[in-house]
Amino acid sequence: MASFTFQKYLKKTSASLKQVFQFARKKPFKFLGYAILTGISFVLLLFFCTYIGLFGHVPNKKELASLKNPVTSTIYGSDKKPIAYFYMQNRSNIDSVQLNPFLKKALVATEDARFYEHSGIDYKSYARVLVKSVLLQQGKGGGSTITQQIAKNVFGRKDLWLLSTPISKMREVIIAKRLESIYSKDELLLLYFNTVSFGENLYGIEKASQRFFSKTPEKLTLTESATLVGVLKAPTYYNPRRNPNNSTNRRNTVLDQMVKYGAITEEEATKAKTPIVLNYSPPEKNSSLSGYYKEFVKKEFTAWAENNPSPDGAIYDLEKDGLNIYTTLQPNIQKYAENAMVRNIERLQKSMAEYWDSNTTEGGKEAFIKKLMAQQPKVKQLQDQGKSLEEIEAFLQRTTARKYWEVNKGFEPRQQSYQDSVISAIVRLHTGILAMNSRSGAILGYLGGIDYGFSQIDNIKAPKQVGSTFKPITYLTALQQGIEPCDFYDNTLRTYSQYENWQPRNSSGSYGGSYSVQGALANSVNTVSVALQMRVGVPKVKKQAEKMGITATIPDVPSIVLGTADINLLEMVTAYASISNGGQLVEPYMIQKITDEAGTVLFEAKPKYKGRVASEKSIKQLQQMMGEVLTEGSGTSFRAYEIPFNIIGKTGTTQNNGDGWFIGASPEVVIGAWVGTQDKRVHFKSTSLGSGARTAMPMVASMFKGLSSWTRPMITNFEYETSYFRCPTFSELPASEATNFYKNDSTYLKQLQLRDMVIPVDSISGVVQDTVKDQSLNK
């Protein structure tokens, strides 16, 4: 039936086309008139739709007037004091007296010879394009004026399928006409040179002049001015450093154009056609710790702005509109994070430099170094030159002053061999630290790396293997299924044949006896954790993780309990927030309020609650179990910080010590940290050096130490139904006997009664002091 209908449609279409062709043959002039009229009508309709913003917002005169001196948008901390600013692109502005006359003449002669005659649109140029480019197919280029190019440079173009080019051109025509009614010709030239791209992430003539010739624009010579104007046609192809021949040819074309339009004489052009001599200044990276949260704010703002245009239909722009962005960042907490990172990363980096390894490389560390050196471009160059192995080795070991990035300082000279400089870069440790209000989702501290100037990778949002920090999610799933903290599981080294003879091992290498569920989490026992995972099932754990705000892809294998999934720190901290706040999923956010220059409130955030993640009973049990991690288990070194509040948390260490994690929480605040290398071929030699307790925990602990010192601390204690779990962590009894034994054995129950009577409770922290030991635990 469908085939019949389609054939019928084809016949009808064919008949209609045949009638059109017949009409065209009989009355060709009339047909041509109709065709032209139809085309003109379509163009006018397209122009009208573009003008009213149907294909995207067209900036009004008020917006365009702000381009001359764009006001920066300001980011404020929670104390309403400025902490960062947004500027229009990566550029610096120059004023009219700094704009070299050669630059203006070269630009006009090359890009828009009738610039001073038209009012934004060069109709003669469009006629030339129509005849030569469209009708004669001679490819003579477009007819955009300098003013239209400003519109393109500043506001860009959108992909609108087949109509992208005509709609973009129409939009630029409208903007150009408006620009010409606001600015003088010289102001437009200045605006052009302040916004145009010169490649290499350079915007504006000042940065380009400094980069290629190490001088200010007003000091450029004729040949240098012509060179930079020549770059504009194709910034990569005509880059004078990368493609000097192309750049020289283009420079000469610019000079010839200047002669053609009387801007310079033939003699001046000849003298200027000398070899291009660069005084190139490589871009200097500046140390910055604010770049990470600035990017987070920018993305959050952009998502809001796209759905909340201004009353006149404009899209708010951080770099042009002079907005005030009030954030939830607490300056003190942010400073705690930065200080903790700088202090600890220096210590850890020294340890890493001395005790790193490469277990994943066949042949280990020495084989890895050899392979790494052979891959270096400089070594390959020496090989191509016929240098001997001895000469190459001498080069690799020769010590000299080389650039090394010092955290919080920038590049500084360091005496190193070439080989050591390459190794020091690849064994560089990175980190991410995030503090969040667990009750609202407000981000209190955000440090995405060791230095934004050195690495723009945001380690808070970049997925990493999470290690044992995932275990609380599996344990919460188990508690939800009715498993109790005092149920026991055998600590047996098992082989799972259905998973390619997978044999999960404990980091301690100790097996035998049985662990209670609470003891297995506290001590991060892998054998019991996997047994628990097998019992509750992977689908239920994945569903629980999703409830807790984790959107990352989690593999369908039981090893997820050991943290084999790649999840970012933001999602893990969000999941832990739902544990610490009593079971409510919150949505992380940083922007609290947005106002315009006049102080009008454009947006004000309200915490978003997305439902419960588990029952109150299960959450309370898990909180207490995670408290024991820090008092009795793998995180006991946390006690050394003497924080007068009972904090809960979990450590995490991935295979080969490649990633170290720690996430800690009070009922109000959750803080997480990750430490590791970007290249997973290198890692700490041992767990004693690279565990999460050793690398990430000190950063989090020092931040909680700072929070606890406030005159009016924002953190409090967790409250538990009982002071301690009424079962031991470990028993030499098999699990089949242990669970019932500790529930029913009269001797053990008598010991618990005595413990209840004599155990003091610390009045500050509420942590029970374990003064009575269960003598039956090691039976």
Side-chain angles (χ1 to χ4, degrees):
M1 183 67 182
S3 176
F4 174 77
T5 304
F6 183 68
Q7 289 177 356
K8 186 177 179 181
Y9 173 77
L10 283 179
K11 287 181 180 179
K12 189 174 181 180
T13 303
S14 179
S16 298
L17 289 173
K18 192 176 292 184
Q19 288 177 353
V20 171
F21 290 140
Q22 288 174 353
F23 178 77
R25 281 199 301 268
K26 291 179 181 178
K27 300 180 180 181
F29 294 107
K30 198 171 186 178
F31 173 79
L32 182 61
Y34 282 141
I36 292 173
L37 185 61
T38 302
I40 292 173
S41 300
F42 177 75
V43 170
L44 290 175
L45 178 63
L46 204 60
F47 186 86
F48 176 75
C49 292
T50 304
Y51 186 86
I52 64 175
L54 194 62
F55 301 118
H57 174 68
V58 180
N60 55 37
K61 288 187 177 183
K62 182 180 177 182
E63 293 173 76
L64 296 175
S66 68
L67 294 178
K68 184 177 181 181
N69 293 300
V71 183
T72 62
S73 291
T74 305
I75 301 178
Y76 296 88
S78 61
D79 60 355
K80 296 181 173 55
K81 293 181 180 179
I83 56 176
Y85 301 91
F86 282 103
Y87 299 91
M88 186 177 175
Q89 300 173 327
N90 179 28
R91 66 183 176 89
S92 298
N93 281 338
I94 61 170
D95 56 35
S96 57
V97 298
Q98 294 173 287
L99 192 55
N100 192 313
F102 287 137
L103 287 169
K104 293 195 287 186
K105 292 177 181 179
L107 180 66
V108 171
T110 308
E111 297 292 330
D112 189 358
R114 286 178 289 276
F115 174 69
Y116 290 102
E117 301 168 19
H118 62 68
S119 57
I121 306 169
D122 188 351
Y123 297 104
K124 291 182 180 179
S125 183
Y126 273 130
R128 172 182 56 80
V129 171
L130 178 63
V131 174
K132 293 187 176 181
S133 297
V134 179
L135 299 179
L136 301 180
Q137 296 292 305
Q138 292 180 356
K140 292 295 182 180
S144 293
T145 63
I146 288 174
T147 320
Q148 288 172 261
Q149 290 182 48
I150 293 172
K152 179 181 176 182
N153 293 340
V154 175
F155 298 101
R157 288 180 169 180
K158 290 186 177 181
D159 185 3
L160 298 168
W161 298 87
L162 295 175
L163 297 176
S164 291
T165 299
I167 290 174
S168 294
K169 289 283 187 182
M170 290 177 182
R171 184 168 178 264
E172 288 157 15
V173 163
I174 297 168
I175 296 172
K177 293 293 288 184
R178 291 176 181 176
L179 284 170
E180 291 272 352
S181 68
I182 299 171
Y183 298 106
S184 69
K185 291 292 186 179
D186 281 349
E187 285 175 331
L188 287 171
L189 289 177
L190 185 62
L191 187 57
Y192 180 93
F193 276 112
N194 276 335
T195 58
V196 70
S197 171
F198 288 87
E200 296 194 11
N201 198 30
L202 295 170
Y203 291 88
I205 188 62
E206 183 177 24
K207 284 188 174 290
S209 180
Q210 290 287 356
R211 175 71 60 84
F212 293 109
F213 298 108
S214 298
K215 60 174 66 172
T216 54
E218 68 268 25
K219 295 180 180 179
L220 292 172
T221 65
L222 172 58
T223 188
E224 292 166 345
S225 298
T227 299
L228 291 181
V229 169
V231 168
L232 299 175
K233 185 176 179 64
T236 300
Y237 187 75
Y238 294 118
N239 184 295
R241 179 175 65 92
R242 297 177 178 174
N243 299 300
N245 291 334
N246 297 344
S247 181
T248 300
N249 293 334
R250 179 61 184 167
R251 186 273 318 269
N252 292 344
T253 299
V254 172
L255 292 171
D256 291 340
Q257 286 293 104
M258 293 176 75
V259 172
K260 177 181 178 180
Y261 291 105
I264 59 174
T265 65
E266 187 75 50
E267 184 180 1
E268 288 175 312
T270 302
K271 287 182 179 179
K273 291 180 180 179
T274 58
I276 296 175
V277 179
L278 298 180
N279 187 6
Y280 188 82
S281 299
E284 282 295 325
K285 290 184 176 180
N286 297 317
S287 178
S288 168
L289 298 180
S290 66
Y292 299 106
Y293 66 71
K294 279 184 65 176
E295 283 301 308
F296 189 93
V297 166
K298 187 174 183 178
K299 288 180 181 177
E300 191 174 333
F301 172 86
T302 301
W304 168 82
E306 287 176 352
N307 297 311
N308 296 273
S310 67
D312 60 2
I315 302 298
Y316 289 109
D317 193 320
L318 275 175
E319 297 166 341
K320 302 188 190 83
D321 291 338
L323 303 173
N324 299 305
I325 314 296
Y326 295 90
T327 71
T328 59
L329 283 174
Q330 289 260 6
N332 286 337
I333 295 178
Q334 182 67 24
K335 186 57 67 176
Y336 290 157
E338 292 172 2
N339 290 343
M341 183 277 293
V342 173
R343 184 170 57 251
N344 283 282
I345 209 70
E346 289 179 354
R347 168 184 62 84
L348 293 169
Q349 193 62 63
K350 289 178 182 177
S351 178
M352 181 67 171
E354 188 171 356
Y355 301 109
W356 70 275
D357 209 337
S358 182
N359 290 341
T360 56
T361 302
E362 186 177 351
K365 181 176 179 178
E366 297 305 317
F368 173 75
I369 293 175
K370 186 176 181 180
K371 183 178 180 180
L372 184 65
M373 291 304 108
Q375 294 171 342
Q376 298 307 307
K378 186 63 178 177
V379 171
K380 291 181 179 179
Q381 183 182 353
L382 293 174
Q383 290 172 338
D384 292 340
Q385 293 173 0
K387 300 294 184 182
S388 66
L389 292 176
E390 291 76 14
E391 289 174 315
I392 293 174
E393 184 63 24
F395 164 77
L396 292 175
Q397 302 303 330
R398 187 181 306 119
T399 300
T400 186
R402 302 178 189 275
K403 285 186 176 182
Y404 181 82
W405 188 274
E406 296 286 355
V407 175
N408 212 25
K409 295 178 182 178
F411 278 121
E412 293 192 353
R414 174 183 283 194
Q415 291 294 320
Q416 282 186 310
S417 68
Y418 183 89
Q419 177 170 296
D420 287 341
S421 69
V422 173
I423 292 173
S424 65
I426 208 163
V427 302
R428 170 76 75 165
L429 287 173
H430 296 262
T431 188
I433 305 174
L434 177 65
M436 183 189 297
N437 183 319
S438 57
R439 292 177 173 174
S440 67
I443 293 174
L444 307 174
Y446 194 101
L447 185 59
I450 57 173
D451 202 315
Y452 192 78
F454 178 72
S455 172
Q456 291 76 52
I457 296 174
D458 186 343
N459 295 304
I460 291 175
K461 300 183 78 173
K464 315 283 183 184
Q465 272 202 348
V466 294
S468 293
T469 54
F470 191 88
K471 283 177 181 171
I473 299 173
T474 293
Y475 280 73
L476 180 58
T477 309
L479 295 173
Q480 284 286 93
Q481 301 304 311
I483 295 171
E484 294 292 333
C486 285
D487 289 346
F488 279 76
Y489 284 80
D490 289 316
N491 177 32
T492 304
L493 183 62
R494 294 184 180 89
T495 300
Y496 295 91
S497 57
Q498 67 271 44
Y499 294 103
E500 299 179 353
N501 292 324
W502 176 49
Q503 193 177 60
R505 298 174 177 273
N506 295 330
S507 60
S508 65
S510 177
Y511 306 96
S514 60
Y515 278 90
S516 61
V517 169
Q518 59 92 5
L521 179 62
N523 292 278
S524 207
V525 182
N526 289 342
T527 53
V528 175
S529 298
V530 172
L532 205 61
Q533 175 68 67
M534 296 294 289
R535 178 169 174 178
V536 299
V538 171
K540 288 181 180 178
V541 172
K542 290 177 65 173
K543 188 173 181 180
Q544 182 64 59
E546 186 179 344
K547 282 184 178 180
M548 299 170 78
I550 293 176
T551 62
T553 301
I554 298 175
D556 291 311
V557 290
S559 61
I560 58 174
V561 69
L562 306 183
T564 53
D566 290 332
I567 307 172
N568 67 39
L569 183 59
L570 181 63
E571 291 192 353
M572 289 302 296
V573 167
T574 301
Y576 274 57
S578 68
I579 298 171
S580 71
N581 69 22
Q584 190 73 240
L585 175 61
V586 294
E587 183 175 299
Y589 69 98
M590 194 182 293
I591 297 178
Q592 183 66 50
K593 184 172 68 173
I594 302 172
T595 67
D596 61 16
E597 286 183 89
T600 304
V601 176
L602 306 176
F603 166 77
E604 196 152 13
K606 293 181 180 179
K608 295 180 181 178
Y609 302 103
K610 297 185 162 185
R612 291 198 62 81
V613 302
S615 69
E616 184 178 357
K617 177 186 175 183
S618 297
I619 290 291
K620 286 283 187 183
Q621 289 175 327
L622 183 61
Q623 287 174 348
Q624 190 167 359
M625 290 163 63
M626 292 173 67
E628 299 242 336
V629 171
L630 306 188
T631 58
E632 306 292 335
S634 60
T636 52
S637 57
F638 192 89
R639 293 185 297 183
Y641 290 83
E642 299 181 342
I643 298 167
F645 295 91
N646 54 322
I647 307 300
I648 69 173
K650 186 70 186 78
T651 56
T653 310
T654 59
Q655 192 173 21
N656 291 323
N657 313 300
D659 303 272
W661 290 74
F662 181 74
I663 306 176
S666 74
E668 303 79 12
V669 179
V670 57
I671 304 175
W674 165 86
V675 176
T677 57
Q678 301 292 6
D679 190 321
K680 294 309 172 190
R681 294 175 298 176
V682 296
H683 48 79
F684 278 102
K685 183 175 290 186
S686 66
T687 304
S688 62
L689 295 170
S691 68
R694 166 80 176 174
T695 60
M697 182 192 287
M699 298 184 187
V700 176
S702 65
M703 290 180 69
F704 273 112
K705 182 72 172 177
L707 287 173
S708 68
S709 68
W710 290 10
T711 305
R712 297 176 62 186
M714 67 187 298
I715 58 176
T716 60
N717 284 302
F718 287 99
E719 294 181 3
Y720 307 130
E721 291 183 2
T722 59
S723 300
Y724 60 93
F725 287 107
R726 305 183 76 80
C727 59
T729 294
F730 172 79
S731 174
E732 291 186 359
L733 296 172
S736 59
E737 299 177 23
T739 300
N740 289 328
F741 177 82
Y742 293 107
K743 287 181 179 178
N744 302 303
D745 183 73
S746 58
T747 302
Y748 180 72
L749 294 177
K750 186 66 176 177
Q751 288 179 342
L752 294 183
Q753 290 177 354
L754 292 172
R755 180 176 183 179
D756 290 337
M757 290 191 303
V758 301
I759 288 231
V761 177
D762 190 308
S763 60
I764 297 177
S765 68
V767 178
V768 176
Q769 306 302 307
D770 192 1
T771 58
V772 177
K773 299 295 182 182
D774 175 16
Q775 300 301 318
S776 68
L777 301 189
N778 294 321
K779 292 179 181 178

